[in-house]
Amino acid sequence: MAFVLRRPFAISTAFKQSSKSSAAPLRAFHNRPFKSSQTNSFTSKPSSPISALTKSRDAFRRTYMQQPYQAARPDTGSLGQRLLYGAGIFGGTLVAINLLFNRETREDGGMPPFERKYLNETFLHTGLGVGIIGIAARALHQNGWSVRLMAANPWAVMGLGLAASIGTMYGTFNTSPDNYVQKYALWTGFNVTQAAILSPLMFMSPALLARAGLYTVAMMGSIAFVGATAKQEKYLYLGGPLLAGVAIVAVSGLAPLVLPATAARTLMWTDNIWLYGGLAVFGGFTLYDVQKVLHHARMAERGLVQRDAVNESISLELDFLNIFIRMVQILGMRNNRK
């Protein structure tokens, strides 16, 4: 029985190898040949049981023994090629955007020092805010906040999230830069609120999140370069059209909560509008916000408004987060197709 369990096809193969007479199967299970009887019933030519089992064993090995696994050699040039491809794509995108949107450069001899300083302060606060959001989201995810958030009612999460985000954002806007303790406290609260909403993204692969962050920085960096070197107030007219576009994107994002699951085609279109339309809209907002920062810098230089890099950074943070979320979704969809 143990022999049959280990090699279930060996016996049948042995039968097939010695099927010319009815005596061969009987002789395959005996080491000593039968004595010839008086009758002519068992007069066939004897066959060796060892040769039959050997043939069956060879057939079993040829059929059921797999080739040994050979590990693939790592491609040592893949990392360098990816870096070169990434640098080429970023450089090409920067040149294309600059040629397409920045044909009319500044006529005042370049960016004045006060505009450059104000823009650098805004970018610094933007980077700090994004860093706070990332660290806080990671800490909340490790404490189980993401699981509890995904198990909650989506309408409640959306309502409370919007209330907390809008409340801390407008509280920061309406706080004077001189009251820096309250202002930075509200700004930190705004960033933590964004981290609490975005913490479920930590379920994604760290490599995917890193790629999405790199692509977002590349996209915003190239657009910000165009906005900083373009003609003064060239793209400030985009505020109205972009506001209409973000309203359409927001409504399309709420479609899965309202439409039934049977409206598959409509949901597909609304998802594409939210994904790719939102990518275009918030790319335009990046261009608009950078020129708005430079416009406020000129107004602050003339004493019309106060310098407030914290307020300026919130707009760029929202642009970064919306582009980053869509980059994560696009990369996740690409991985699912593989």
Side-chain angles (χ1 to χ4, degrees), residues 50-278:
I50 298 177
S51 63
L53 292 176
T54 302
K55 292 179 180 179
S56 67
R57 183 162 57 252
D58 294 339
F60 178 78
R61 286 178 177 175
R62 287 195 302 268
T63 307
Y64 298 100
M65 295 296 289
Q66 297 179 355
Q67 296 293 330
Y69 174 75
Q70 296 180 356
R73 295 181 179 179
D75 189 4
T76 56
S78 61
L79 180 59
Q81 291 177 358
R82 290 179 181 178
L83 291 177
L84 289 176
Y85 291 158
I89 291 173
F90 174 71
T93 304
L94 180 60
V95 172
I97 292 177
N98 193 26
L99 291 176
L100 184 62
F101 296 102
N102 202 15
R103 296 180 180 179
E104 297 179 3
T105 56
R106 300 179 61 132
E107 299 175 354
D108 54 357
M111 187 181 300
F114 65 89
E115 288 186 11
R116 183 179 296 108
K117 181 180 178 181
Y118 192 59
L119 188 62
N120 290 336
E121 290 178 359
T122 302
F123 286 152
L124 176 62
H125 283 83
T126 303
L128 289 175
V130 172
I132 292 172
I133 292 172
I135 295 173
R138 181 63 178 174
L140 291 171
H141 179 73
Q142 290 179 346
N143 291 328
W145 168 260
S146 301
V147 178
R148 294 192 294 270
L149 184 67
M150 295 179 68
N153 188 347
W155 288 102
V157 171
M158 183 181 65
L160 293 176
L162 286 176
S165 299
I166 294 174
T168 53
M169 181 177 65
Y170 279 98
T172 306
F173 285 162
N174 294 324
T175 302
S176 174
D178 299 330
N179 190 3
Y180 61 90
V181 175
Q182 179 180 343
K183 191 171 190 66
Y184 278 94
L186 291 170
W187 179 66
T188 305
F190 169 79
N191 293 326
V192 172
T193 302
Q194 304 308 306
I197 297 173
L198 299 177
S199 61
L201 289 177
M202 294 299 167
F203 284 113
M204 306 293 290
S205 170
L208 188 145
L209 295 177
R211 288 176 59 193
L214 181 62
Y215 294 163
T216 305
V217 171
M219 179 177 174
M220 288 194 63
S222 59
I223 295 175
F225 175 79
V226 172
T229 57
K231 190 176 180 180
Q232 293 182 4
E233 303 180 4
K234 180 180 180 180
Y235 295 109
L236 290 181
Y237 73 93
L238 293 176
L242 290 174
L243 186 61
V246 78
I248 296 174
V249 170
V251 171
S252 64
L254 296 176
L257 298 176
V258 179
L259 296 178
T262 55
R265 187 178 297 274
T266 304
L267 289 173
M268 181 185 67
W269 279 103
T270 56
D271 185 68
N272 290 332
I273 292 173
W274 184 89
L275 186 61
Y276 300 104

Side-chain angles (χ1 to χ4, degrees), residues 274-292:
W274 184 89
L275 186 61
Y276 300 104
L279 202 63
V281 166
F282 287 102
F285 263 117
T286 303
L287 186 63
Y288 169 79
D289 289 333
V290 169
Q291 289 231 312
K292 186 180 68 174

